[in-house]
């Protein structure tokens, strides 16, 4: 099975940088996804990593280390609209069932 | 471009009543389709997964069922709702089993 761990909540100031961590244990690995979910809404796709290293998309970057079972999502130049839950999801090799963490709630304050 | 629809957006049902939630996808053919439930304070739980018409994989044994009568239509049903069925139900689609999943707007179900 899969075990995905994310811290539950963090608060950061507008304009700052925040790093959201995700550690996972899985039998086989076929990729890791990050989603953003605003309160009461559906998750929206942010990024996908399958190889080690950093993927950058504007203000958001995602990093993966497969050997350490570790990923982080980096949010730069925080804006109030970035207040949301950030979900880490792992795709194990072989069963094609995305396993989601419980999410990390980020609260952006002025 | 592809779009995914779910309805209804919200639903309040009494315990023991039936349920039917519908999901449709536009702009793609033969998508992989998924039903998830998100209960308060918990992560997304995969309920059902479909790779084609009439092909349903059940992930969690419970009083829910799913059907895929058409290529881009996915239905979640129950004959008798339980209190524990309350939650946010999300439909998602992907091009293939290892591709990015895109979520519909969701249905918030409250069972009283």
């Amino acid at each position: 099975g899969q075990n995905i761990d994310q811290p539950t909540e963090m608060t950061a100031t507008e304009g700052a940088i925040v790093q959201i961590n995700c550690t996972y244990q899985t039998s086989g690995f076929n990729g890791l996804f990050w989603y953003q979910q605003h309160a009461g809404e559906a998750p929206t796709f942010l990024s996908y990593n399958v190889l080690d290293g950093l993927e950058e998309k504007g203000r958001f970057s995602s990093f993966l280390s497969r050997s350490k079972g570790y990923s982080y999502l980096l949010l730069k130049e925080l804006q109030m609209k970035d207040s949301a839950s950030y979900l880490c999801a792992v795709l194990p090799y072989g069963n094609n069932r995305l396993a989601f963490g419980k999410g990390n709630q980020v609260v952006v304050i002025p | 471009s592809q779009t995914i629809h779910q309805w209804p957006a919200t639903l309040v049902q009494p315990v023991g009543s039936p349920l039917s939630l519908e999901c449709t996808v536009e702009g793609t053919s033969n998508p992989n389709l998924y039903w998830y439930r998100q209960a308060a304070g918990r992560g997304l739980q995969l309920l059902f997964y479909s790779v084609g018409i009439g092909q349903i994989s059940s992930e969690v044994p419970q009083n829910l069922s799913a059907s895929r009568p058409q290529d881009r239509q996915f239905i979640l049903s129950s004959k008798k709702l339980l209190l524990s069925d309350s939650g946010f139900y999300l439909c998602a689609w992907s091009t293939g089993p290892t591709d990015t999943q895109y979520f519909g707007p969701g249905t918030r179900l409250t069972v009283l």
Side-chain angles (χ1 to χ4, degrees), chain A residues 1-4 26 88-92 95 97-101, chain B residues 36 44:
Chain A
Q2 298 79 44
N3 188 17
I4 300 169
T26 183
C88 165
V90 173
L91 188 64
N95 73 18
R97 311 297 196 250
L98 255 188
F100 283 84
Chain B
Y36 288 89
L44 281 164

Side-chain angles (χ1 to χ4, degrees), chain A residues 5 8 19 21 39 44 48-51 53 56 69 73 76 82 84 92:
Chain A
D5 189 36
T8 55
Q19 178 173 314
N21 298 320
T44 55
Y48 169 65
N49 295 69
V50 67
L51 299 176
E56 298 192 72
L73 181 69
K76 305 174 191 172
D82 298 330

Side-chain angles (χ1 to χ4, degrees), chain A residues 30 33 35 37 39-45 48 87 91 95-103, chain B residues 36 38 41-44 46 49 57 59 88 90 97-106 108:
Chain A
N30 212 12
F33 298 81
Y35 286 83
Q37 186 176 24
E41 298 181 9
T44 55
F45 169 70
Y48 169 65
L87 311 178
L91 188 64
N95 73 18
N96 299 328
R97 311 297 196 250
L98 255 188
F100 283 84
K102 292 183 180 180
Chain B
Y36 288 89
Q38 189 175 38
R42 299 184 64 180
L44 281 164
L46 180 63
Y49 165 52
S57 296
E59 297 300 305
F88 192 34
L90 290 154
T98 61
D99 297 317
T100 301
Q101 293 182 24
Y102 298 94
F103 288 86
R108 190 160 301 283

Side-chain angles (χ1 to χ4, degrees), chain A residues 59-78:
Chain A
R59 294 189 299 115
F60 294 179
S61 304
S62 56
F63 171 83
L64 175 68
S65 169
R66 289 173 297 173
S67 62
K68 295 181 179 177
Y70 168 70
S71 174
Y72 69 72
L73 181 69
L74 198 67
L75 283 61
K76 305 174 191 172
E77 301 169 19
L78 275 176

Side-chain angles (χ1 to χ4, degrees), chain A residues 8-14 16-20 78 83-84 104-110:
Chain A
T8 55
E9 185 171 320
M10 56 176 59
T11 301
T13 307
E14 200 173 7
I17 299 173
V18 68
Q19 178 173 314
I20 305 165
L78 275 176
S83 292
N104 183 316
Q105 184 69 40
V106 172
V107 178
V108 182
I109 57 175

Side-chain angles (χ1 to χ4, degrees), chain B residues 5 9-10 17 23 26 32 54 64-65 70 77 90 98 103-104 107:
Chain B
H5 305 279
T10 60
S17 64
C23 170
E26 295 176 357
N32 284 241
L64 299 173
S65 62
Q70 299 180 47
S77 304
L90 290 154
T98 61
F103 288 86
T107 295

Side-chain angles (χ1 to χ4, degrees), chain A residues 96-97, chain B residues 3-6 22-26 28-36 46-59 66-75 90-97 99-104:
Chain A
N96 299 328
R97 311 297 196 250
Chain B
T3 55
I4 179 169
H5 305 279
Q6 284 186 248
E22 188 163 343
C23 170
T24 58
V25 181
E26 295 176 357
T28 186
S29 296
N30 198 30
N32 284 241
L33 296 173
Y34 311 82
W35 277 112
Y36 288 89
L46 180 63
L47 302 175
F48 299 97
Y49 165 52
S50 172
V51 297
I53 296 174
Q55 299 178 65
I56 310 291
S57 296
S58 176
E59 297 300 305
S67 62
R68 186 168 176 175
Q70 299 180 47
D71 181 44
R72 290 169 289 178
Q73 185 185 29
F74 205 21
I75 297 171
L90 290 154
C91 180
W93 76 274
S94 66
T95 304
D99 297 317
T100 301
Q101 293 182 24
Y102 298 94
F103 288 86

